[in-house]
Amino acid sequence: MRGHRYHWARVAAVALLAGGCTSDGAPPAAPPSSGPPPDFRPGAEGIGDPYFPKYGNGGYDVGGYDLKLRYDPKSGQLRGSATVTATATQDLSRFNLDLAHLVAGKVTVDGRAARATADGNELVITPAAGITRGTAFTAVIEYSGRPEALRNEELGVGGWLRTDDGAFALGEPESASTWFPVNDHPADKATFALAMTVPAGVEAISNGVPGERTTDAGWTTWTWTEKAPMASYLATVAIGQYRVSTSTHAGKPMVIAIPESLPADGPAARSMARTGEVADFLATRFGPYPFDAYGGIVLDDDRVGYALETQSRPVYGNTFFRSGTQTTVVAHELAHQWFGDSVALERWKDIWLNEGFASYAEWLWQEHEGATTAEQNFARRYASFDWSEPPGDPGPEGIFSQSVYQRGAMTVHALRKTIGDEAFFRLLKSWPAEQRNGNVTTTEFIAAAEKESGKDLDSLFQAWLFGTTQPPRP
Ligand code: TRP
Ligand code: ZN
């Protein structure tokens, strides 16, 4: 679902070019299919992100993934099938999906056997016949293997990690290709459905709305559905011994999973229990919560010293919850549900649109809690900061730098001071509403801020996002 917002406009334009109607109201002279003959070519092996040229693939646009998987914690084996529905965005002779360490078996496209070959972490699929541009198609990939994480020197591990009692999948900017064939880049969002079969007595928690749970011959199938388009790095699954609590919040299912290794009423459980309250507070600032479900998953694993905004159900490393009730990180991950998940990146370069706003949400939450004010949080950082790295173009190794998070949040505050609270808080709601389920760029955000405020904000954003010296105090 790429370029979601422009989809209908593009369809209309194509219909016009194809002679969909004429000025005298006569039927078109020729059917749209009688243009030039198709020119079938391979889809690109990257989606075209300058920071990560190999991420994702070109030539098609995924609408949805439907995964039916079985995982055996004893052997570490994953097997099953992925049904990928997509639309060709060019005349396609073949196309790639990203798939790491796993082996494809039978592959079909629109029900006909297709050739599938592995080329490193790419699965190259050649359908029996070319697929013309604009045509919807369905690929079914049977696959299996022992999943492993991707090791990225600068950005840390991403993907499938095995545990004593199961496994979990987690990671940004990439992780999905370690457990399903995928167009692994946020620019191609898609719906997501998972049926995960695990031994009875083991839990399997994922994104979205929980569905039916059935047990047969000692294996339990857990089902999950995320029907809002989702970036692939926001897909997660946690398999193991968890206390799963399911409730309803604001009319939607809330699923919270706490590892059995942690106390049922300890800091992690107490912090998670405030999920609904934090989400409701953020909704007063950012507008309606964008998804159909709430929740969170805590991981008790030394390898996870971070949290991730996995869609509708963030994952939190237990390192955040050493004592008391820790809601700052909850505010951060829930803010991402608006900034990063519903409104997603088109290119990784613009990561400050995710992390700057999620970090700013921490400041709003702390102020709401009667702790530090946003102004105090800004002032502390402004007084001493290394301004040499611009958050608007942090480089591929810098996408999770202090500059992106902290100077990103300072940029948001500088914007607020420049346009005033009224326009600022209007923008915090209009932007997620207008861009809901879409993909955005910094340029589009600046245009939206200028429209909401009626001000020219070029020099403000130039200094805050791209300068290498301290910007003037707003
Ligand atoms: N986006 C995460 C956050 O700010 C941080 C993060 C970056 C991350 N890379 C990761 C989390 C890899 C888990 C795995 O909340
Ligand atoms: Zn974040």
Side-chain angles (χ1 to χ4, degrees):
M1 278 184 210
R2 206 175 311 155
H4 178 81
R5 287 161 297 113
Y6 300 119
H7 184 66
W8 294 111
R10 198 167 59 220
V11 168
V14 168
L16 272 177
L17 287 172
C21 61
T22 54
S23 53
D24 61 359
S33 59
S34 74
D39 179 19
F40 295 115
R41 291 168 191 271
E45 59 182 30
I47 208 167
D49 189 322
Y51 274 23
F52 304 105
K54 290 197 198 146
Y55 283 15
N57 309 280
Y60 63 93
D61 183 0
V62 179
Y65 299 95
D66 188 351
L67 311 179
K68 299 203 182 331
L69 303 175
R70 172 183 292 245
Y71 184 67
D72 183 355
K74 280 207 195 83
S75 64
Q77 282 280 332
L78 180 72
R79 68 161 56 247
S81 70
T83 300
V84 182
T85 50
T87 303
T89 56
Q90 65 172 66
D91 294 333
L92 270 182
S93 58
R94 60 164 209 246
F95 60 92
N96 287 16
L97 285 163
D98 303 304
L99 184 66
H101 321 299
L102 301 172
V103 178
K106 186 180 161 203
V107 175
T108 63
V109 174
D110 291 334
R112 296 171 72 186
R115 190 149 54 91
T117 56
D119 179 9
N121 291 347
E122 307 262 334
L123 179 66
V124 183
I125 298 178
T126 309
I131 306 169
T132 52
R133 180 186 172 149
T135 306
F137 64 94
T138 301
V140 180
I141 299 109
E142 289 180 0
Y143 65 101
S144 63
R146 231 202 275 215
E148 279 173 48
L150 298 161
R151 297 190 192 276
N152 183 317
E153 293 297 321
E154 276 89 24
L155 300 173
V157 294
W160 192 275
L161 291 174
R162 204 174 162 186
T163 62
D164 292 340
D165 58 351
F168 56 86
L170 187 70
E172 182 187 9
E174 53 166 355
S175 55
S177 67
T178 67
W179 62 292
F180 59 97
V182 56
N183 193 14
D184 207 357
H185 190 282
D188 190 0
K189 297 166 93 175
T191 61
F192 177 83
L194 172 66
M196 178 64 85
T197 303
V198 294
V202 174
E203 283 72 39
I205 305 102
S206 184
N207 309 87
V209 174
E212 218 177 53
R213 198 188 309 166
T214 50
T215 298
D216 181 39
W219 291 78
T220 299
T221 300
W222 297 68
T223 62
W224 303 92
T225 311
E226 178 50 60
K227 79 173 176 24
M230 177 168 82
S232 51
Y233 76 94
L234 299 173
T236 190
V237 66
I239 298 168
Q241 300 299 314
Y242 291 86
R243 293 188 181 88
V244 182
S245 85
T246 305
S247 56
T248 301
H249 179 77
K252 298 172 178 183
M254 160 110 81
V255 180
I256 289 174
I258 308 284
E260 279 181 12
S261 56
L262 300 176
D265 58 353
R270 288 203 306 272
S271 304
M272 284 296 94
R274 296 187 66 185
T275 291
E277 176 197 351
V278 176
D280 291 350
F281 164 72
L282 294 175
T284 68
R285 299 295 187 272
F286 305 154
Y289 180 76
F291 300 124
D292 288 342
Y294 294 91
I297 302 169
V298 175
L299 297 178
D300 184 19
D301 191 299
D302 292 343
R303 293 168 294 183
V304 186
Y306 38 71
L308 187 63
E309 60 267 27
T310 42
Q311 191 156 311
S312 80
R313 193 148 299 121
V315 172
Y316 304 87
N318 187 48
T319 46
F320 286 103
F321 308 118
R322 286 303 174 217
S323 66
T325 308
Q326 189 38 256
T327 49
T328 301
V329 66
V330 178
H332 182 106
E333 304 312 331
L334 292 180
H336 274 308
Q337 303 305 309
W338 287 261
F339 296 93
D341 294 8
S342 176
V343 182
L345 300 178
E346 181 71 22
R347 293 292 175 246
W348 283 108
K349 173 183 192 279
D350 298 327
I351 181 76
W352 83 277
L353 288 171
N354 292 9
E355 301 305 346
F357 282 87
S359 301
Y360 195 68
E362 297 179 31
W363 301 1
L364 293 175
W365 172 250
Q366 286 171 352
E367 180 162 341
H368 173 73
E369 285 274 87
T372 320
T373 65
E375 181 63 27
Q376 286 167 334
N377 263 310
F378 173 84
R380 260 182 216 167
R381 289 163 179 81
Y382 185 77
S384 87
F385 202 79
D386 172 2
W387 303 99
S388 64
E389 288 175 41
D393 192 2
E397 297 92 52
I399 60 172
F400 301 122
S401 65
Q402 285 299 305
S403 172
V404 164
Y405 283 71
Q406 304 304 330
R407 190 168 153 188
M410 283 189 268
T411 302
V412 176
H413 193 71
L415 171 66
R416 176 177 172 181
K417 301 288 278 189
T418 304
I419 67 177
D421 275 7
E422 233 178 89
F424 176 76
F425 285 107
R426 264 200 327 264
L427 178 65
L428 283 191
K429 286 185 175 168
S430 62
W431 171 251
E434 281 163 21
Q435 306 294 349
R436 187 173 183 196
N437 292 334
N439 291 89
V440 295
T441 62
T442 295
T443 311
E444 289 172 309
F445 179 73
I446 295 173
E450 291 187 330
K451 188 167 159 251
E452 201 69 80
S453 66
K455 284 198 157 95
D456 177 351
L457 300 169
D458 226 50
S459 60
L460 174 84
F461 284 110
Q462 189 55 44
W464 277 97
L465 293 178
F466 303 105
T468 53
T469 56
Q470 187 183 44
R473 190 171 177 128

